[in-house]
């Protein structure tokens, strides 16, 4: 579904559910609802709220948002002034990361030497949990496990028992907004202001549209009730 079709079908379905009771929406207003619906649908597919199965559980779910999945291997570490551990290393990850789906670390210096290089799982933990398990041989850093904390500004802190030569991360990026026409007067959606097509698989375009229309309906009814004091 291209932008023209999104706009036309939005008007048709919105008028149907509202019985022409509500005023029409501008292209920028429809863009806001379509983008919000796009985000809701992606999150629903990822978590399994939509369809009853999480992102990788079914082929249909994978195909719906597979063009949002990216992989990067990081070998260059960055500097951070306040490490949580003397063995911490830091990586600057891509700014478009939305949800991490898989991550691992390639270790060196593991014994026996024949195991090198060795791939270990990277486990995201909270700071409180890190302090509980950092010295635990079964839950703390080990040959098979590296702990990861987020420190903000797209920087990941990895705490490892062994040196890390590579940090592999596969993630889902946030989709581009759906913008029906160039936005004016300094307006933007997720930092973009130019006309932008939906980049997701066409099989979920109708679901995005229906979700957007329902969100617009709820917004109108909430505003109407607030104005009437109900």
């Amino acid at each position: 579904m291209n932008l023209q079709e999104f706009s036309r079908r939005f008007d048709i379905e919105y008028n149907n559910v509202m019985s022409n009771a509500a005023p029409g929406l501008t292209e920028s207003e429809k863009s806001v609802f379509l983008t919000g619906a796009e985000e809701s649908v992606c999150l629903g597919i990822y978590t399994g709220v939509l369809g009853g199965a999480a992102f990788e559980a079914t082929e249909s779910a994978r195909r719906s948002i597979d063009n949002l999945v990216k992989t990067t291997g990081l070998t260059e570490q960055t500097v951070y002034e306040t490490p949580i551990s003397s063995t911490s290393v830091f990586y600057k990850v891509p700014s478009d990361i939305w949800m991490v789906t898989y991550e691992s670390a390639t270790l060196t210096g593991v014994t026996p030497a024949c195991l090198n290089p060795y791939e270990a799982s990277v486990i995201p933990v909270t700071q409180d949990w890190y302090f509980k398990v950092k010295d635990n041989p079964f839950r703390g850093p080990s040959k098979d496990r590296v702990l990861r904390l987020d420190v903000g500004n797209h920087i990941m802190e990895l705490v490892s028992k062994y040196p890390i030569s590579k940090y592999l991360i596969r993630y889902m990026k946030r989709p581009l907004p759906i913008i029906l026409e160039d936005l004016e007067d300094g307006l933007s959606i997720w930092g973009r202001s130019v006309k932008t097509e939906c980049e997701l698989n066409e099989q979920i375009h109708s679901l995005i549209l229906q979700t957007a229309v329902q969100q617009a309906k709820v917004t109108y009814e909430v505003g109407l009730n607030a104005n009437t004091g109900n």
Side-chain angles (χ1 to χ4, degrees):
M1 195 183 307
N2 60 32
L3 295 180
Q4 185 177 12
E5 291 170 323
F6 263 118
S7 179
R8 179 176 56 82
R9 287 187 54 183
F10 189 107
D11 289 337
I12 292 171
E13 297 199 23
Y14 185 63
N15 288 334
N16 284 340
V17 299
M18 300 302 295
S19 301
N20 296 311
L25 298 174
T26 66
E27 295 299 280
S28 61
E29 289 171 332
K30 286 186 282 186
S31 298
V32 170
F33 285 117
L34 286 167
T35 300
E38 177 186 49
E39 182 176 47
S40 295
V41 168
C42 287
L43 287 172
I45 293 172
Y46 177 77
T47 59
V49 172
L50 291 178
F55 165 50
E56 294 186 304
T58 68
E59 188 67 18
S60 175
R62 283 193 292 269
R63 296 289 76 80
S64 295
I65 54 177
D66 62 354
N67 58 341
L68 299 181
V69 178
K70 301 174 71 174
T71 304
T72 186
L74 304 173
T75 56
E76 183 177 349
Q77 297 173 5
T78 191
V79 176
Y80 193 78
E81 294 180 354
T82 53
I84 204 168
S85 166
S86 60
T87 62
S88 291
V89 292
F90 298 89
Y91 290 90
K92 184 84 171 180
V93 297
S95 59
D96 61 352
I97 282 184
W98 199 21
M99 273 91 64
V100 175
T101 61
Y102 174 83
E103 52 191 326
S104 67
T106 302
L107 307 181
T108 61
V110 174
T111 53
C114 62
L115 294 177
N116 294 287
Y118 191 85
E119 186 175 18
S121 297
V122 174
I123 310 299
V125 296
T126 64
Q127 295 177 57
D128 287 345
W129 184 250
Y130 167 76
F131 280 107
K132 290 178 181 178
V133 304
K134 63 186 179 73
D135 297 319
N136 186 320
F138 302 104
R139 295 186 177 181
S142 69
K143 173 174 62 68
D144 299 302
R145 183 172 48 255
V146 173
L147 303 185
R148 186 256 286 175
L149 299 100
D150 294 5
V151 297
N153 295 320
H154 305 293
I155 296 177
M156 303 293 201
E157 180 175 10
L158 303 188
V159 183
S160 174
K161 185 176 179 180
Y162 299 94
I164 299 174
S165 62
K166 182 179 179 180
Y167 176 33
L168 178 71
I169 183 166
R170 180 165 293 170
Y171 64 94
M172 208 171 92
K173 76 179 187 72
R174 192 178 196 180
L176 294 175
I178 302 172
I179 303 179
L180 300 178
E181 66 178 17
D182 292 352
L183 304 178
E184 299 178 350
D185 301 324
L187 298 176
S188 66
I189 302 175
W190 294 352
R192 291 179 68 91
S193 58
V194 298
K195 184 163 61 174
T196 307
E197 297 278 354
C198 179
E199 63 178 327
L200 298 178
N201 194 306
E202 282 210 17
Q203 73 184 49
I204 60 171
H205 284 191
S206 292
L207 179 57
I208 291 171
L209 179 68
Q210 293 163 12
T211 304
V213 169
Q214 288 302 314
Q215 289 178 354
K217 176 178 181 289
V218 170
T219 299
Y220 172 77
E221 290 175 342
V222 168
L224 184 64
N225 290 335
N227 290 333
T228 59
N230 293 331

